[in-house]
Amino acid sequence: MTDFAEDNEKGDSAEEKARKNWSRYVYVRAKGHEDYIQTANLNEKFAFKNEQWSQESLDALGKRPALQLNMIFQILEQMVGQQIKTRVDMGFKPKSNAIQKTAEVLCKLARQTCDDRRYHQHESDAFLTGMALQRAFIDMRLDYSDNINGEPKFETLDPRQVIPDPDASEYDPDSWGDVTTTRLYSHNTIAEMWGEKKAKKIKGSLNSNSRDPGDSIDPMEGFRYNAFGGDAVRPQDHVDSVKHIGKGDKLYRIVERQYWVRGEYPFFIYPQGDMRIVPVDMDPDYAQFKADRDGLTIQKLHGKRVKWTVSSNTCLLYDDWSPYRHFTVIPYYPYFYRGITRGLVDYLISPQELLNKVVSQILHVVNTTANSGWLLPRDSVTNKTPEEIEAHGADTGLVLEYDGDKPPPTKIHPNPIPSGLADLRAFALDIINKISGVSDQARGFRQGDESGVTVKLLQDRMGVGMTRAITNLDQTRNIVARNMLHLFQDHYTSERVVMITRNRGHSRASQEDIELVLNQVHTNEAGEEEVLNDLTVGEYGVKITSTPSFDTSRERNFEELTAMRNLGVQIPDTAMIEASSIPDKEQLLETMSGAKQGEDSPQNQLAQMSAKIDMNKKEADTGMVLAQTREKEMATKEKAVSIAEKIADDPALADIADTIEQDDVIDEAAIPEPAVAEPQING
């Protein structure tokens, strides 16, 4: 990390500070940033501008076709779609002198800030920019346009306007020496932001014929950041600190630099030994009051603090301590290795060029087939000249009259399309798919008889190829959450009311807004004043989790509930409706809830109890009748068995049993006992 302790020296004039700031800009721009701008412009042409042929190649082709099959754009769209399906959930966990309740309040505040200030959209823009241009930057600072106390604001910066410390090699900006951003502003914009006096000073100190020390960059560099106007206006005489945009109009280059300054600064010391630098804009009396209230001590220690300088090449616009603990610029690098940044487009340019050349050559061969030319004996054609045949020889219905004494005109047989061109085309597409990790199946296209389940698995596997890019995105999210936490603790010091969205169900319609009061002074039961939801107290750790987006999560939940229900799990109907995407489902749930409440009313409950008693009585009566019937049936069966035993002993009793059965009366007593033979006693 570069040491800028010398910038803390006193006594430099405003003009000298401006020139020092400009000299640093010239140095960091020349040390690698010019090369990066050329690479980023080339990647942008291939990915978004559809300018994949260089002018030299177009001149060499002449009238031959130059096709551009932009596969890079489709791959970027697919990857951004995967990123959009997940969203960050920033959480905080208590560490030193912190409580869980305040950590939960910070989680709610961070979640609401991301939703209200459209962080997720800026993150998706940064993800797309990083994958295409190697680098992306999100600027987070306080915005005072809607709230006098300030609210966090996110802005996605053009990476060609941001120059990180060229001597740094780590991802986290806290390890950099400085970060520089440069933009072109009109006179009116400068007057609005920094005052008319300074705007006139800049205008008077620069003129269109001067050539300042920063004129080493490409003349069009200032216009390479994208805008709705494009590159329609092209200045002829370039001066890096001044741009002509029309008759009498100029754009002035402004350099904004944030850098660390080392020195002795006051720190809050916690009982556990943790340290936190006292915010630069905190009143010393309030800092001492806070230390006494929270059991802290204030001690001057060696540390670093962010300095903020804004200037043109000769005029100082702003030079003071930054109100933030960190740089406002937060990077995202999809592929990062010790200061080396790469994006996906870097590796797709060569195979994309190969694909364009192959398909253009195939089209050229097809075109030559239709107008391959003619073999004509000299002066043989009587109705057209050779020039006319050259221009219209491939027209439909062409009629040629020729001298019968000479051989007839013969059409030149075209060369067949080389088989190697088709192989090269397939090879280029295969290389693009392998490098990007996005195959046809990952984009939802089936091959042959592949099932939908197979395609779904291949789409899920696409995320494996994005592991590094998503891991670095999580690192960026961690830095955003850390800086946001410190922003809350340093600037949300007075009482304020924020609206927090709470979910009462699984749908957006079930969300409600509730008031959350921060830093509210409250008198407890002991008569002592205490601050509720005090964000300034305690140290908290950052916890980042990636969760599916609302729509994706709802679809997955519904699929899982349906699968469990099909397996026999008793899933309530209300849970299925809440997880569905049907319109007006809240009204349906209220209708079902109202019907259920009507069923649970006292009158209905009394009627249900009465009906249940009647039902139980009827069931009891029916059971008694059935029991009596079963008893009679058993008795009858026992009598029948007894009669059968008697008939078996004396078959003559069968006729008597038949007579009794015809009378439908079975009386066991009416059947005489079978005769028993007397034993013979031999005397």
Side-chain angles (χ1 to χ4, degrees), residues 549-565:
S549 64
F550 186 88
D551 294 331
T552 304
S553 177
R554 182 181 58 191
E555 293 174 0
R556 291 183 178 179
N557 291 341
F558 187 79
E559 292 178 358
E560 291 178 0
L561 289 174
T562 303
M564 288 190 294
R565 202 171 199 183

Side-chain angles (χ1 to χ4, degrees), residues 288-569:
Q288 188 61 52
F289 165 77
K290 173 180 170 58
D292 296 338
R293 183 193 64 186
D294 300 335
L296 312 177
T297 59
I298 298 179
Q299 184 177 352
K300 277 196 171 184
L301 299 172
H302 186 75
K304 61 181 183 178
R305 175 173 279 169
V306 180
K307 191 75 174 292
W308 205 329
T309 302
V310 183
S311 70
S312 67
N313 69 334
T314 58
C315 180
L316 185 67
L317 299 176
Y318 179 86
D319 182 61
D320 205 345
W321 296 110
S322 171
Y324 311 108
R325 293 195 219 175
H326 312 275
F327 298 153
T328 61
V329 176
I330 301 171
Y332 168 62
Y333 306 127
Y335 305 100
F336 180 85
Y337 177 75
R338 298 186 180 276
I340 300 174
T341 59
R342 289 293 181 268
L344 180 64
V345 175
D346 293 88
Y347 305 103
L348 295 178
I349 289 180
S350 293
Q352 178 68 62
E353 288 180 325
L354 175 61
L355 178 63
N356 291 341
K357 292 177 181 179
V358 170
V359 296
S360 298
Q361 184 64 23
I362 292 176
L363 180 60
H364 173 66
V365 173
V366 173
N367 290 340
T368 57
T369 302
N371 190 9
S372 56
W374 294 83
L375 292 175
L376 304 174
R378 185 182 300 274
D379 299 328
S380 62
V381 178
T382 60
N383 64 334
K384 291 184 181 297
T385 64
E387 291 76 13
E388 291 175 338
I389 296 176
E390 180 181 2
H392 304 284
D395 292 350
T396 303
L398 176 67
V399 176
L400 296 178
E401 295 180 359
Y402 65 96
D403 188 348
D405 296 334
K406 297 181 179 181
T410 304
K411 191 173 179 62
I412 298 176
H413 184 71
N415 294 326
I417 298 177
S419 59
L421 288 179
D423 296 337
L424 277 177
R425 174 184 171 277
F427 173 76
L429 290 173
D430 183 62
I431 290 297
I432 290 175
N433 291 339
K434 287 183 177 179
I435 292 177
S436 64
V438 182
S439 61
D440 292 338
Q441 295 93 329
R443 293 196 292 268
F445 301 112
R446 297 187 183 183
Q447 289 188 355
D449 57 350
E450 289 179 338
S451 65
V453 176
T454 303
V455 174
K456 178 65 176 176
L457 292 175
L458 292 174
Q459 288 177 331
D460 294 338
R461 287 180 57 187
M462 190 187 75
V464 177
M466 299 173 58
T467 301
R468 172 55 58 184
I470 296 298
T471 300
N472 288 347
L473 182 61
D474 287 339
Q475 189 169 353
T476 297
R477 291 166 171 174
N478 193 287
I479 298 174
V480 171
R482 179 199 64 191
N483 293 6
M484 187 183 299
L485 169 65
H486 294 164
L487 187 147
F488 289 152
Q489 292 188 319
D490 293 345
H491 298 276
Y492 280 42
T493 57
S494 59
E495 181 175 334
R496 67 166 68 189
V497 179
V498 295
M499 302 301 296
I500 302 296
T501 301
R502 181 175 64 180
N503 294 325
R504 295 183 292 106
H506 299 279
S507 64
R508 289 190 176 94
S510 62
Q511 297 175 347
E512 64 175 358
D513 294 333
I514 60 174
E515 288 188 354
L516 180 63
V517 183
L518 306 177
N519 305 311
Q520 183 180 20
V521 179
H522 171 73
T523 303
N524 57 24
E525 297 179 354
E528 299 175 348
E529 286 190 353
E530 60 181 3
V531 181
L532 300 179
N533 298 330
D534 188 357
L535 306 183
T536 65
V537 178
E539 293 292 320
Y540 298 88
V542 175
K543 180 176 59 176
I544 296 296
T545 56
S546 299
T547 59
S549 64
F550 186 88
D551 294 331
T552 304
S553 177
R554 182 181 58 191
E555 293 174 0
R556 291 183 178 179
N557 291 341
F558 187 79
E559 292 178 358
E560 291 178 0
L561 289 174
T562 303
M564 288 190 294
R565 202 171 199 183
N566 293 336
L567 292 174
V569 180

Side-chain angles (χ1 to χ4, degrees), residues 36 73 76 112 173 276 388 448 585 681:
Y36 166 72
F73 178 78
L76 289 177
Q112 183 66 15
R276 182 196 301 179
E388 291 175 338
K585 60 183 177 183
I681 300 176

Side-chain angles (χ1 to χ4, degrees), residues 213-232:
D215 196 30
S216 59
I217 207 166
D218 182 82
M220 287 303 298
E221 184 273 334
F223 285 87
R224 280 184 176 158
Y225 64 90
N226 292 318
F228 290 110
D231 296 336

